[in-house]
Amino acid sequence: MKKLCIFILIIAGWQFLVPETGHSIPAFARKYGYNCNMCHTSFTKLNDYGQRIRDNGYQLPGQEGGEKNVFDTPPPIAIRTTTGISVYNVDKGTTTGFDIMGLDLLAAGVLHKNISFMFIYTPRIDEPAADFSGPGNGTNPSQLGALESANLVFSNIVPGALNLRVGRFEPAYHPISSKRSYYISEPYEIYTFTSPSDTLLPSNNFIFDDNQLGVEMTGHFRNGFKYGAGVVNGNGANPDNNTNKDFYLNLFQTFGKGDGQSAGQRIGAFAYYGWQPTSIPSPSDFVVAPTGEANCSCNKPFYRLGGDVSLNWKTFNLQALFMQGMDDKALNVFDTNKDYKFSGGFAELDWSGLWNNRLLASVLFNMVQPPSYDDSRTIKAYSALLRYYLGDWTAVNIALHAEFTHRETGKDDPFKENIFTALLDFDF
Amino acid sequence: MRYLYVLAGITLLLLPSFALAGDNTPTPPPATMVTTNKLGPERIGNLPPVPVPPSNPQTSQKILLGKQLYFDTRLSKDNTISCASCHSPSMGWSDAGPTSSGINKQLGGRRSPPVSNSAYNPLQFWDGRAPSLEEQAKGPIQNPIEMGNTHLVMLRTVQDIPGYADEFKHAFGESNLTIDQVADAIAAFERTVVTTDSPFDRYVKGDISALTSQEKKGLEIFNGKGHCTTCHWGGNLSDGRFHNLGAPQTGPLKEDNGRYDVTKDPQDQGKFKTPTIRDVALRAPYLHSGSDKTLEDVVEFYNKGGGKGVSSLDPMMVPLGLSKSEVKALVAFMTRAMTSLNPEVANVKPIPPSDLPK
């Protein structure tokens, strides 16, 4: 604890040493000369203006063609990393670590009027040496090397009403973005919950908030209505090993001014219908784990249905999501006579304060309710965080971040975990 | 596999329509000029050198002549109104408003835009109907509720003043006075009305003591949560473009179509040009018809996301969520930090009639 206090004091003292008007920069903000909070309520969450820029293919709304493209600007590259202390506590003891918790390499920008791109790569970060063996001899790296996003956006095919995104992207069906969540060590549990897996039996490895590979159409209208619809691989893999495509649709309506991110009130509904491989055809009808499949009846359906709401009052934002999931009985490792059904959601209350939203406070409640025969995976998690942004930097963001989560897994006599994280979030 | 074919088909169908949609997008010529001349947003900062058109180079004779014409009421029909009547140096190169008063005390429909730093505007007037300062200078002379004159009568009047005739000959080398010469001279003078030395300018140049702590907070909000630099960017803190803020219409006009009257593009309905923030504290009231009396009023207007019930509200307008202290910081920044200190402009005094050419 003493070390932690010293760490926080050092970082807090640092803000007095660095100049207040540093002007080095990053992707979008570097291009525009903006402070981060032009587009973010507080980094990382988009405000209404930032959301409209994203919806408009990373172009300023109403200014298409009037801004510089990537060939007229410095290289549109940005980096985000989080480094700090984590304290993990369970009944039997406590462990601490000083880790790099994530690293994103990002490039994005406008190629031509109404044509833009987004690229995010997350390298492996478990070891400084290049042997890539990592913890557990490479079986448990702290971050996989992955192409998180690589997509082209064709905007305003029909002005506002039809925009097309092609490639790997964060789909529109989860309007409360986990990629831009303030929480670093606590996910939106319902997004990452999957039905149980087994190495010998088919199961569903679909993760709701994974980026997807496919095509997405979106539209936004002046009356506050938005839609998103897409056809995606479902497993996000490349090359594609899922012949059957997944489909989704989401609809939102915003009331009042704003987009429901930082002003106005938004309500939405989403539906995702997918097919999960269960086997590959073979003479012996050999059952394999859910990777690889072919044109056969062995692909089994699953769906996710839900609704979300985002309410704003002054600088408070309450966002909540509820979701139901169903995996076909063929994917249920407990009982192949029953569909695996689960539900859950989360509610998050954020407040931004001080000037230019330099201070952020948030509480988050997560809940997942599996079927009764799997209630040992019931989740309840309570989280809170404080975040303070240092300095007025144009497109450089350095924040002190402290986060705590108490998680209980299981219904009766739940397994209890306490996770405290104090870190430095750095983006430029 | 059939899904892939369907997808490919949809994409192939959509891409040509996308290309066609791009080609057919109506773009009014002046807006094209704006986007061609000035891609943005650019970082806020010091003003660059004043752009001068090759057709009207700056000369000291022309600038002096332009200054005299600027303050001369004899350009108006009844010898009561000069350029300076509505664009007074002592009022931030605007007037007391809310809208301007022309000959016979007729009220104009819009707030007097500032002459200071107008040389940086790609287009002139609230609706951008003049592509240059030269063209702008010709307008008010024959506007029936401003100077109420005609170019012909005004030229006769000026030509009949021997002192002016000599000065025009000296400045342009010709004895035949033309409206283009009058406009060129006034525009040349206006290009000297540039406010380059505010506390903000000094701060940008590295003098971190030029701004108070509150003003620094205001600057941070100006370029962040306040969203001001979405439109007020670059050295002149103006994008020179047109936006519909949903500003209430006050004054003699019941309705003002703004940019639409120039382009006839329905998307331009109710749009007005972004004014500079430089010296903004000197020229209350604000917005195109002077509907907001103070800077606090303007910031609160933006804080609420602009006007109500406007279908064509600019998509960049969103509620800001500024607290009272943030509003104060923002106003503090715009009040002192953006007010010019350069005396060569701030102290421009009207030329008294007795000193004008006779």
Side-chain angles (χ1 to χ4, degrees):
Chain A
M1 201 61 196
K2 188 179 172 186
K3 285 181 183 173
L4 176 65
C5 293
I6 291 171
F7 171 74
I8 291 173
L9 282 174
I10 289 171
I11 298 301
W14 184 28
Q15 65 168 308
F16 300 106
L17 301 177
V18 293
E20 284 193 3
T21 54
H23 277 300
S24 35
I25 305 271
F28 296 130
R30 172 169 40 203
K31 172 181 171 181
Y32 300 130
Y34 286 167
N35 179 287
C36 304
N37 285 358
M38 181 71 80
C39 298
H40 298 272
T41 304
S42 299
F43 184 81
T44 53
K45 185 174 169 183
L46 290 177
N47 62 23
D48 296 312
Y49 183 67
Q51 184 64 45
R52 286 185 182 177
I53 289 177
R54 184 179 188 274
D55 290 346
N56 199 38
Y58 313 114
Q59 303 170 106
L60 301 185
Q63 306 290 300
E64 302 83 8
E67 58 182 89
K68 295 173 183 172
N69 61 38
V70 290
F71 309 109
D72 302 321
T73 59
I77 298 169
I79 295 174
R80 181 188 185 195
T81 188
T82 48
T83 301
I85 291 173
S86 61
V87 180
Y88 179 74
N89 166 260
V90 292
D91 293 343
K92 294 179 180 177
T94 299
T95 59
T96 60
F98 187 88
D99 307 306
I100 297 176
M101 297 177 189
L103 175 64
D104 293 350
L105 306 176
L106 179 149
V110 178
L111 297 167
H112 183 271
K113 180 183 178 183
N114 288 328
I115 302 178
S116 49
F117 77 100
M118 166 65 86
F119 172 90
I120 303 174
Y121 179 68
T122 57
R124 272 184 72 160
I125 55 174
D126 43 330
E127 285 194 351
D131 62 6
F132 300 114
S133 57
N137 198 24
T139 58
N140 185 29
S142 50
Q143 174 174 287
L144 288 169
L147 186 62
E148 186 176 300
S149 289
N151 58 77
L152 276 175
V153 186
F154 300 91
S155 307
N156 299 305
I157 296 167
V158 177
L162 179 60
N163 308 275
L164 197 66
R165 195 179 284 261
V166 184
R168 181 175 289 164
F169 50 83
E170 182 187 23
Y173 58 74
H174 39 87
I176 302 174
S177 168
S178 61
K179 307 295 181 193
R180 285 180 287 279
S181 166
Y182 292 130
Y183 288 86
I184 289 171
S185 59
E186 174 62 10
Y188 296 137
E189 300 279 1
I190 192 66
Y191 282 1
T192 58
F193 186 84
T194 59
S195 54
S197 62
D198 188 292
T199 53
L200 296 176
L201 297 171
S203 57
N204 190 357
N205 63 351
F206 173 74
I207 297 174
F208 188 71
D209 69 348
D210 265 357
N211 281 6
Q212 294 284 4
L213 190 60
V215 180
E216 179 181 87
M217 293 187 297
T218 57
H220 48 273
F221 301 84
R222 283 196 171 270
N223 61 6
F225 175 72
K226 283 188 185 183
Y227 77 89
V231 183
V232 293
N233 280 356
N235 55 15
N238 186 42
D240 182 16
N241 63 357
N242 186 350
T243 301
N244 288 79
K245 298 299 149 198
D246 295 359
F247 301 89
Y248 61 85
L249 173 69
N250 62 322
L251 307 171
F252 315 115
Q253 179 65 48
T254 303
F255 302 94
K257 292 177 179 174
D259 263 40
Q261 289 289 118
S262 50
Q265 321 303 333
R266 186 187 70 215
I267 187 167
F270 58 85
Y272 185 101
Y273 188 85
W275 294 86
Q276 179 66 16
T278 57
S279 67
I280 57 172
S282 72
S284 61
D285 199 20
F286 181 64
V287 176
V288 298
T291 55
E293 44 86 51
N295 287 315
C296 67
S297 59
C298 52
N299 298 316
K300 299 301 179 187
F302 67 95
Y303 67 75
R304 306 286 184 263
L305 293 173
D308 66 279
V309 65
S310 177
L311 306 173
N312 292 284
W313 181 71
K314 294 191 174 179
T315 57
F316 288 92
N317 172 243
L318 173 66
Q319 52 186 1
L321 179 140
F322 179 78
M323 186 170 91
Q324 282 193 317
M326 187 286 295
D327 293 348
D328 185 86
K329 52 184 177 291
L331 303 166
N332 189 346
V333 301
F334 282 103
D335 186 346
T336 54
N337 293 315
K338 289 180 181 173
D339 293 339
Y340 187 92
K341 293 182 179 178
F342 64 95
S343 62
F346 58 86
E348 177 179 338
L349 178 64
D350 303 329
W351 170 82
S352 298
L354 293 187
W355 73 95
N356 204 28
N357 292 352
R358 282 207 185 188
L359 181 66
L360 169 75
S362 175
V363 290
L364 168 67
F365 171 65
N366 269 298
M367 185 269 291
V368 178
Q369 184 62 58
S372 57
Y373 51 83
D374 190 24
D375 63 8
S376 65
R377 299 204 310 137
T378 300
I379 296 173
K380 285 183 182 174
Y382 308 85
S383 306
L385 70 76
L386 271 178
R387 193 170 168 86
Y388 180 72
Y389 300 83
L390 307 177
D392 170 20
W393 292 287
T394 307
V396 176
N397 176 73
I398 302 176
L400 294 175
H401 180 106
E403 179 178 332
F404 175 77
T405 292
H406 172 77
R407 184 193 288 123
E408 297 181 0
T409 307
K411 193 171 183 182
D412 302 320
D413 191 20
F415 177 68
K416 294 177 182 174
E417 302 162 281
N418 295 303
I419 305 157
F420 177 75
T421 310
L423 53 82
L424 191 65
D425 189 346
F426 177 51
D427 318 270
F428 75 95
Chain B
M1 201 59 191
R2 67 178 183 279
Y3 294 112
L4 281 181
Y5 292 129
V6 172
L7 271 179
I10 291 171
T11 306
L12 286 173
L13 283 172
L14 286 174
L15 286 181
S17 64
F18 162 78
L20 287 173
D23 290 345
N24 292 337
T25 303
T27 308
T32 306
M33 284 181 56
V34 173
T35 54
T36 301
N37 294 341
K38 203 175 179 183
L39 295 174
E42 296 167 350
R43 189 185 301 276
I44 56 173
N46 302 122
L47 279 167
V50 174
V52 178
S55 58
N56 188 24
Q58 297 285 86
T59 66
S60 55
Q61 296 94 332
K62 206 189 295 178
I63 292 167
L64 175 62
L65 174 60
K67 183 176 178 181
Q68 291 165 337
L69 291 167
Y70 186 89
F71 288 102
D72 199 330
T73 56
R74 288 173 291 182
L75 270 61
S76 65
K77 182 180 181 181
D78 60 0
N79 297 339
T80 59
I81 301 292
S82 71
C83 303
S85 301
C86 303
H87 304 281
S88 168
S90 62
M91 294 183 182
W93 297 86
S94 179
D95 65 9
T99 60
S100 302
S101 179
I103 64 166
N104 302 322
K105 298 185 178 177
Q106 296 179 91
L107 272 182
R110 294 173 182 165
R111 182 90 187 94
S112 170
V115 161
S116 55
N117 305 312
S118 58
Y120 294 93
N121 293 334
L123 301 171
Q124 305 295 337
F125 292 115
W126 279 104
D127 55 16
R129 63 183 181 273
S132 66
L133 279 177
E134 284 77 5
E135 287 305 307
Q136 185 279 329
K138 297 173 187 173
I141 296 168
Q142 58 182 6
N143 186 312
I145 59 173
E146 293 184 30
M147 291 183 173
N149 213 338
T150 66
H151 288 162
L152 192 60
V153 171
M154 181 275 295
L155 288 172
R156 280 184 195 152
T157 304
V158 173
Q159 189 131 32
D160 288 345
I161 300 169
Y164 268 133
D166 289 345
E167 288 202 31
F168 269 94
K169 191 171 183 180
H170 196 51
F172 292 99
E174 297 173 14
S175 53
N176 288 333
L177 194 59
T178 67
I179 183 60
D180 286 340
Q181 290 173 349
V182 171
D184 283 0
I186 292 173
F189 167 65
E190 290 177 333
R191 287 196 176 92
T192 68
V193 184
V194 177
T195 58
T196 55
D197 187 20
S198 65
F200 166 73
D201 289 303
R202 295 182 181 190
Y203 182 75
V204 170
K205 287 174 181 169
D207 180 2
I208 60 170
S209 65
L211 300 188
T212 66
S213 172
Q214 189 184 36
E215 289 164 351
K216 288 175 187 172
K217 290 177 182 174
L219 171 58
E220 184 178 337
I221 293 162
F222 189 87
N223 194 31
K225 186 179 175 182
H227 291 184
C228 309
T229 44
T230 54
C231 301
H232 296 283
W233 48 257
N236 198 28
L237 291 104
S238 165
D239 60 2
R241 299 178 185 177
F242 303 87
H243 304 275
N244 185 345
L245 314 178
Q249 183 62 38
T250 57
L253 291 181
K254 288 186 177 177
E255 188 182 11
D256 194 337
N257 297 320
R259 181 72 174 151
Y260 171 81
D261 284 341
V262 179
T263 65
K264 302 303 178 192
D265 181 347
Q267 292 190 3
D268 284 337
Q269 182 68 39
K271 289 184 177 179
F272 296 92
K273 191 180 69 186
T274 307
T276 178
I277 293 296
R278 289 181 175 275
D279 303 301
V280 66
L282 303 177
R283 49 174 180 269
Y286 303 102
L287 304 180
H288 74 273
S289 64
S291 53
D292 281 351
K293 291 180 180 174
T294 67
L295 280 176
E296 285 84 354
D297 293 341
V298 181
V299 173
E300 285 298 348
F301 171 77
Y302 281 103
N303 203 16
K304 293 172 184 168
K308 292 179 180 175
V310 182
S311 60
S312 55
L313 194 69
D314 194 293
M316 294 199 287
M317 293 291 287
V318 292
L320 303 174
L322 297 176
S323 66
K324 286 182 181 175
S325 65
E326 287 174 321
V327 170
K328 280 184 181 174
L330 195 49
V331 170
F333 168 70
M334 290 191 286
T335 300
R336 193 193 72 91
M338 289 308 305
T339 300
S340 165
L341 303 168
N342 45 333
E344 69 274 20
V345 172
N347 291 339
V348 167
K349 295 285 192 299
I351 301 176
S354 57
D355 291 349
L356 290 170
K358 296 182 176 61

